[in-house]
Amino acid sequence: MRRLLIVATLLAVTSVPAARAANPVRDVLWVALQGCVLAKKAAGRSFPCLSVDLGDGERPGTAVLRAPGQPTHTVVMPTDNVSGIEAPVLQGPRGAAYWRAALAARHAVSDALQGRLPIAAVGLEVNSVGGRSQDQLHIHLDCMRRSVMAALKAHGPAVGETWAPFPIPFGETRYLALQVPADRVEGFNPFAALARAPGWQGKLHDVSFAAVAADPENPQAGMIVLAYRMPEASAEDLMDHSCRAARSHRAD
């Protein structure tokens, strides 16, 4: 999160709107995003973002941004103001649309690694209110820790289509897990699914989740979502921004 705060600060190209000035430190990513949108509208270019989709009447706009100095770490954001995981609008079609946009953007990580990491092995992650530095929804994309992928391969078959504790902890954290069948991945809405976890409805501000293919070598395995709830929850701990997994693929 601190890295993303630094990134957003470097990319900020205009002043924070007065309406969002209550805590401007948490709005610099929003400011950087406005620079991307303005460049797209004025000149058809997306810089400093990798890409900007302004959307249309049926599809909300999204932007893809790479963190300077971090060749794989990428975030996908709505072009509309959406605070984060707790935003009610994410319970509807927009939540599923942002999920699809993030799925489609996974190639940015794989491309940066020259294909050494399969697109399916790229993880998606969203932090809680206390675990994030910015109050604009941003879905992190990057490599997952090798230990996480090994655990999913070993225990993934035990994960069902309803929330239940993952068989083993990650570090000291116990996660709930949910399996998304391959034929439902595109239409899935993780934000709505989180609200269906026992006792979590109305408490999503303290929730963080990560998702990745259950087995990147088996397209029929679908995806597994891992989530937990506590103040400052950050499933980003499951990610490896140095992408050691890609180096192991290269060695193979």
Side-chain angles (χ1 to χ4, degrees), residues 52-67:
V52 175
D53 178 354
L54 297 175
D56 54 34
E58 298 181 356
R59 188 185 71 259
T62 54
V64 181
L65 174 68
R66 170 129 335 117

Side-chain angles (χ1 to χ4, degrees), residues 59 92-107 119-120 124 179-191 211 219 222-223 225:
R59 188 185 71 259
R94 284 180 177 257
Y98 298 139
W99 165 262
R100 285 192 295 273
L103 289 176
R106 288 178 297 171
H107 72 86
I119 289 176
L124 302 82
Q179 196 260 356
V180 184
D183 60 354
R184 299 182 190 172
V185 168
E186 288 290 327
F188 181 63
N189 183 343
F191 306 100
M223 298 187 76
V225 183

